[in-house]
Amino acid sequence: CWKMLTVAMCMALLGCLQAQELRGHVSVILLGATGDLARKYLWQGLFQLYLDEAGKDYSFSFHGAALTSTKQGQAFVAKVLESLSCPEDVAPDRCAELKGQFQRLSAYRHLATSEDYVALSKDIEAQVQHGGLREAGRIFYFSVPPFAYADIARNINSSCRPGPGAWLRVVLEKPFGHDHLSAQQLATELGGFFREEEMYRVDHYLGKQAVAQILPFRDQNRKALDGLWSRHHVERVEIIMKETVDAEGRTSFYEEYGVIRDVLQNHLTEVLTLVAMELPHNISSSESVLQHKLRAFRALRGLQKGSAVLGQYQAYSEQVRREQQRPDSFRSLTPTFAGVLVHMDNLRWEGVPFILMSGKALDERVGYVRILFRNQAYCVLSDERWVADQSQCLPRQIVFYIGHGELGSPAVLVSRNLFRPSLPSESWKELGARPGLRLFGRPLSDFYAYRPVREQDAYSVLISRIFHGRKDSFVTTEHLLASWGFWTPLLDSLAHEVPRLYPGGAENGHLLDFEFGGAQLCFSQQQPEQLVPGPGPAPMPSGFQVLKAKYRESPLISAWPEELIAKLADDIEATAVRAVRRFGTFHLALSGGSSPVPLFQQLATRHYGFPWAHTHLWLVDERCVPLWDPESNFQHLQTHLLQHIRVPYYNIHPMPVHLHQRLCAEEDQGAQTYASEISALVANSSFDLVLLGMGADGHTASLFPQSPSGLDGEQLVVLTESPSRPFQRMSLSLPLINRARKVAVLVMGRVKREITMLVSRVGHEPKKWPISGVLPSSGQLVWYMDYEAFLG
Ligand code: BG6
């Protein structure tokens, strides 16, 4: 039966050959040919490929393959082929002819065992030989669940590779893992069967026409955009995918993934990189596009828990209980809505918020990327007289409208007061007037608006790109891992977060609106009581009092964490202002660890009057790791403080732990170098303020119990050993700390309760509890403890 089919296909093939020389034959094998994706998009995409390429350089054959029995599969494929539609721009007669050819070139085959793969390969070879053709390549499209990947990959690799001189392309569909580790494992597994250049991982958003137009648009409008595409002009970027559907029917997938893995990690991140990446000189070079994109991934600033807001439509848990036979008490924490605030750490985008948002069961279905520009104009003419292309006071925006929504089609929109864009006229045309239609608060007539001449489904676009070997429209292993590397820490930190419940559709009202300040996102409205599914945040007493008392005979300030940090930051600023007034400079030595992080953030975002220009920043201690290592105390300081303030770089004094390409080697004399720097710049080696912490074992700075150095003696800076990783440290010594004019010790959290109680009772025993040796000789010591550390 297969032989007959082969002969029939060969005849069809020959029939389709035109007079000119062919460059070769391409076989497309659609695995999962009877599945949903194949039925809805892939067969149509393959037909489109044939329409575009028939009569050009290549001949084709299309093999639908699946585990479905031959009879059923054939019937399915015949039905799908019959239902293929003709695009508007192909004349009906021509299309009917090509459809007939496509049907004759397509066949179904049952593909399950390794013998089946061997047979498939043989049949392709026979076909090529019969037709007197040369094989150009084979495309295997995996439209199958990921658990089937490994087996299929093994079979293709061992028996279905084309001969020398012909290429192999395997097309893979998401999910590509669940987090960084699983993505890595999957990539390693696939890497055992295929070379990187053979793999085409699909993100269908890269095939959406408006998304695929982002780089060409940036390229063709370089001149106009050069001066606009940066933090100096862009106020914010919104990357949005709203859906009205919910997850019913696919909760088993959704429970495992949730909206961030399903949409943000892939579709929205891909779009983000296309907007944010530096534009290569030659955007038709896949290689340089991919390289530039990777650099954009690397510039993404790490996310924190506060970078996201999560929601879940109310019916979701019930759907999971029903579809997965879970008990009545089951409540899912899977988010079906997420808003995330992303920042880029590079000179082009520093400070520009990129808002990524997606959700199910929302009020409308729409997707877009909106670049909103700052408006620095003042218009003298009254606003009724403003004209769209002349008034600089109207909003200025560029929108890549991905689809659906009010417009109902993909589009590229540019505010008329920006510039008249250039788009390729063979594929984009101006949108006709739509009176009454408003987009982003403006009538459509405010924009230069373009839509595709021929609307194309994302899969058709991507199938064509696979055929043309355009790797830049696909996700490489490096990109995939970079993206998971970016999202996994956030996903981990949100794993137990209770999402805000929302009713779904228009009833959501403003419940999901969110706003941002600095790096934090939060819902604009309070959570309504009846929707709270779990215990809310611990109530804060209102009208708090900062408690003033004594601890180890020095002043103690105690409060709830937020107020404590606010008080400490105020005190530091006051000390700084006084020091600068008296001496012209302020020398501040800061500790590492997690407790000072909120303090750094407070100083960075609330203290605009801080005399940073006259402040010298020193480190109290450092881990023996390179300064760019996330474990480095300096890196903490850099992330949470330095990059947000303006301190002259020559006033920043990291500890020299990394000299001569090695870490904290005695011979390199890093500790002595730091001590000399202090002596040279700090009068009398007396810091104006030293901020310390207290470890649960009573350590302070990097002076640990029983430390052989740093507790007394002459040395100002010492190398020490920590009981926990990284073991090697550099630290200011107690004698140096005690020369300070002021020492503040910040102690936060319940874990410190025991040591706080213990240290309150002990005397001066720095060998056992180094913190007990902190006693400024002529300066002041103040303890800052939150209620949990102080009262438990
Ligand atoms: C898929 C997600 O990748 O994209 C779905 O798994 C989502 O949850 C879909 O509905 C949206 O795609 P489109 O093309 O309809 O915007």
Side-chain angles (χ1 to χ4, degrees):
C1 166
W2 181 252
K3 273 201 183 124
M4 279 163 62
L5 257 175
T6 309
V7 172
M9 281 172 92
C10 288
M11 301 294 288
L13 247 170
L14 284 169
C16 305
L17 297 183
Q18 312 256 312
Q20 93 260 30
E21 272 285 287
L22 285 173
R23 284 167 60 184
H25 180 79
V26 176
S27 312
V28 183
I29 301 96
L30 175 52
L31 302 148
T34 54
D36 230 28
L37 186 70
R39 181 176 57 80
K40 279 198 199 143
Y41 301 109
L42 301 180
W43 279 110
Q44 183 69 40
L46 293 177
F47 178 41
Q48 185 62 52
L49 174 71
Y50 188 67
L51 288 172
D52 294 340
E53 302 297 329
K56 293 189 185 163
D57 295 340
Y58 294 91
S59 62
F60 292 90
S61 56
F62 301 92
H63 308 258
L67 298 176
T68 314
S69 71
T70 307
K71 200 164 159 219
Q72 274 181 330
Q74 279 173 345
F76 179 98
V77 169
K79 208 163 144 202
V80 174
L81 294 178
E82 204 41 57
S83 69
L84 294 173
S85 56
C86 285
E88 279 167 20
D89 60 340
V90 184
D93 287 356
R94 171 84 181 133
C95 185
E97 188 193 334
L98 290 172
K99 184 167 162 181
Q101 289 177 9
F102 181 72
Q103 283 170 320
R104 288 192 293 279
L105 293 173
S106 305
Y108 176 79
R109 66 191 296 147
H110 175 76
L111 195 66
T113 63
S114 43
E115 291 76 38
D116 294 340
Y117 282 84
V118 175
L120 168 66
S121 192
K122 284 212 172 112
D123 290 339
I124 293 175
E125 280 157 23
Q127 217 175 59
V128 172
Q129 237 179 11
H130 258 87
L133 303 164
R134 182 185 69 76
E135 183 162 19
R138 298 180 187 181
I139 299 174
F140 283 85
Y141 200 120
F142 284 49
S143 176
V144 295
F147 65 79
Y149 275 23
D151 255 4
I152 299 179
R154 190 171 302 109
N155 280 320
I156 295 175
N157 183 44
S158 56
S159 47
C160 265
R161 284 186 166 275
W167 44 253
L168 169 71
R169 293 183 188 147
V170 292
V171 188
L172 307 163
E173 281 283 343
K174 81 180 176 83
F176 307 122
H178 181 263
D179 53 16
H180 188 263
L181 183 67
S182 53
Q184 172 98 65
Q185 285 164 344
L186 193 63
T188 309
E189 189 171 28
L190 286 170
F193 303 119
F194 306 123
R195 290 197 304 274
E196 181 64 33
E197 67 269 23
E198 293 175 334
M199 286 187 278
Y200 287 69
R201 286 190 192 83
V202 169
D203 184 311
H204 79 285
Y205 263 61
L206 290 175
K208 301 257 180 192
Q209 285 170 296
V211 175
Q213 191 54 31
I214 296 176
L215 283 189
F217 175 89
R218 289 182 57 191
D219 186 45
Q220 274 159 36
N221 296 280
R222 263 180 209 265
K223 231 174 158 183
L225 291 175
D226 251 4
L228 284 173
W229 209 254
S230 73
R231 71 193 149 106
H232 300 298
H233 297 278
V234 175
E235 186 175 311
R236 59 153 103 171
V237 178
E238 299 168 354
I239 303 174
I240 306 299
M241 195 247 253
K242 289 172 71 177
E243 296 188 278
T244 47
V245 290
D246 63 20
E248 192 165 21
R250 55 194 293 248
T251 58
S252 64
F253 161 82
Y254 211 81
E255 256 307 86
E256 226 188 298
Y257 287 85
V259 66
I260 296 183
R261 292 182 171 90
D262 187 34
V263 173
L264 278 78
Q265 176 275 324
N266 38 67
H267 306 326
L268 303 195
T269 309
E270 287 295 332
V271 174
L272 163 71
T273 56
L274 292 177
V275 174
M277 67 191 262
E278 292 301 306
L279 196 59
H281 291 297
N282 175 9
I283 63 157
S284 46
S285 152
S286 280
E287 204 185 324
S288 67
V289 170
L290 286 170
Q291 267 171 12
H292 283 71
K293 214 166 150 189
L294 193 59
R295 267 178 236 153
F297 269 113
R298 295 199 172 129
L300 291 168
R301 183 181 300 167
L303 297 170
Q304 294 156 18
K305 204 171 174 181
S307 317
V309 286
L310 301 180
Q312 183 191 83
Y313 65 84
Q314 253 169 322
Y316 179 74
S317 278
E318 169 53 28
Q319 290 172 351
V320 179
R321 289 195 287 267
R322 204 174 48 240
E323 289 179 14
Q324 294 179 58
Q325 288 86 43
R326 299 291 191 104
D328 285 353
S329 57
F330 175 80
R331 267 191 176 290
S332 166
L333 289 181
T334 305
T336 61
F337 166 89
V340 178
L341 177 62
V342 175
H343 279 104
M344 310 281 302
D345 274 332
N346 59 25
L347 278 182
R348 186 181 289 280
W349 295 116
E350 190 189 275
V352 177
F354 285 78
I355 298 158
L356 274 54
M357 188 274 270
S358 183
K360 302 260 181 217
L362 300 182
D363 63 320
E364 60 170 343
R365 180 181 186 191
V366 69
Y368 59 83
V369 187
R370 177 178 179 229
I371 297 120
L372 185 67
F373 293 87
R374 287 179 210 280
N375 211 331
Q376 282 150 340
Y378 176 80
C379 297
V380 177
L381 208 61
S382 77
D383 56 1
E384 305 99 72
R385 299 211 173 94
W386 289 355
V387 196
D389 55 351
Q390 277 169 26
S391 174
Q392 289 311 308
C393 287
L394 285 168
R396 303 189 304 157
Q397 37 194 336
I398 295 178
V399 181
F400 297 94
Y401 203 85
I402 299 172
H404 307 289
E406 289 291 310
L407 256 184
S409 73
V412 176
L413 310 167
V414 178
S415 293
R416 284 181 185 269
N417 57 6
L418 272 174
F419 60 92
R420 178 188 267 281
S422 139
L423 275 97
S425 57
E426 65 289 358
S427 46
W428 290 81
K429 62 178 182 199
E430 281 206 53
L431 247 164
R434 303 266 293 268
L437 176 65
R438 292 180 77 81
L439 291 168
F440 308 103
R442 303 302 313 164
L444 184 62
S445 56
D446 266 19
F447 299 94
Y448 293 112
Y450 299 81
R451 55 169 297 174
V453 170
R454 165 161 58 117
E455 244 187 79
Q456 266 193 300
D457 164 68
Y459 283 97
S460 299
V461 172
L462 290 180
I463 286 173
S464 155
R465 300 212 167 171
I466 295 160
F467 173 70
H468 291 287
R470 289 295 318 222
K471 284 284 284 183
D472 53 318
S473 295
F474 299 86
V475 182
T476 67
T477 305
E478 258 184 316
H479 288 158
L480 178 73
L481 296 179
S483 177
W484 277 119
F486 173 64
W487 287 101
T488 303
L490 178 76
L491 286 162
D492 290 347
S493 72
L494 293 173
H496 304 292
E497 195 71 0
V498 180
R500 167 173 290 199
L501 293 184
Y502 59 92
E507 270 182 69
N508 295 337
H510 292 285
L511 193 61
L512 296 175
D513 293 356
F514 54 85
E515 51 195 56
F516 51 90
Q520 305 279 313
L521 264 196
C522 61
F523 283 117
S524 304
Q525 284 187 359
Q526 293 275 327
Q527 170 89 296
E529 282 302 319
Q530 71 275 18
L531 291 180
V532 179
M540 282 275 195
S542 57
F544 76 95
Q545 291 278 306
V546 172
L547 188 67
K548 291 194 175 150
K550 290 252 167 195
Y551 181 81
R552 291 180 61 81
E553 300 184 2
S554 292
L556 163 76
I557 293 175
S558 192
W560 292 99
E562 231 171 86
E563 285 79 32
L564 185 75
I565 291 294
K567 170 83 176 108
L568 175 55
D570 284 349
D571 290 353
I572 295 178
E573 178 171 341
T575 313
V577 170
R578 267 198 309 272
V580 171
R581 205 180 298 135
R582 283 183 64 195
F583 316 112
T585 51
F586 172 56
H587 288 277
L588 172 64
L590 293 168
S591 282
S594 55
S595 297
V597 167
L599 173 72
F600 297 162
Q601 287 166 343
Q602 178 87 8
L603 288 171
T605 56
R606 304 278 166 90
H607 286 259
Y608 296 104
F610 202 103
W612 291 118
H614 304 283
T615 298
H616 281 255
L617 287 170
W618 302 86
L619 271 283
V620 159
D621 64 335
E622 186 53 283
R623 292 139 188 250
C624 294
V625 294
L627 295 188
W628 40 260
D629 190 297
E631 294 229 43
S632 147
N633 287 346
F634 184 76
Q635 192 50 236
H636 265 215
L637 197 62
Q638 159 70 12
T639 310
H640 301 292
L641 185 65
L642 295 181
Q643 67 177 355
H644 309 291
I645 58 174
R646 301 276 178 271
V647 185
Y649 71 89
Y650 41 81
N651 282 10
I652 300 172
H653 308 283
M655 281 186 154
V657 287
H658 197 184
L659 296 170
H660 303 123
Q661 282 92 50
R662 52 191 178 185
L663 295 162
C664 293
E666 287 278 0
E667 315 79 283
D668 293 335
Q669 306 229 323
Q672 289 84 334
T673 306
Y674 205 53
S676 309
E677 204 177 332
I678 295 169
S679 309
L681 294 173
V682 185
N684 197 27
S685 299
S686 215
F687 289 111
D688 296 302
L689 199 153
V690 175
L691 175 74
L692 297 176
M694 173 166 75
D697 57 353
H699 82 258
T700 191
S702 274
L703 303 168
F704 295 90
Q706 311 304 334
S707 176
S709 61
L711 301 178
D712 48 25
E714 297 289 299
Q715 277 181 284
L716 300 184
V717 183
V718 289
L719 288 178
T720 64
E721 292 275 325
S722 155
S724 56
R725 278 178 188 280
F727 300 119
Q728 276 192 302
R729 308 288 174 100
M730 189 179 285
S731 177
L732 303 190
S733 67
L734 271 184
L736 177 60
I737 291 170
N738 286 336
R739 284 163 91 147
R741 293 173 194 280
K742 184 166 177 176
V743 176
V745 186
L746 174 63
V747 191
M748 311 257 290
R750 189 163 301 200
V751 284
K752 300 289 168 68
R753 174 68 195 127
E754 256 177 62
I755 188 72
T756 311
M757 270 177 20
L758 181 74
V759 168
S760 71
R761 293 192 300 263
V762 303
H764 184 259
E765 292 191 66
K767 270 246 166 289
K768 279 195 184 157
W769 301 284
I771 188 74
S772 71
V774 176
L775 255 189
S777 41
S778 58
Q780 191 198 13
L781 168 64
V782 184
W783 298 85
Y784 292 81
M785 293 189 187
D786 70 352
Y787 287 145
E788 292 207 320
F790 181 52
L791 302 171

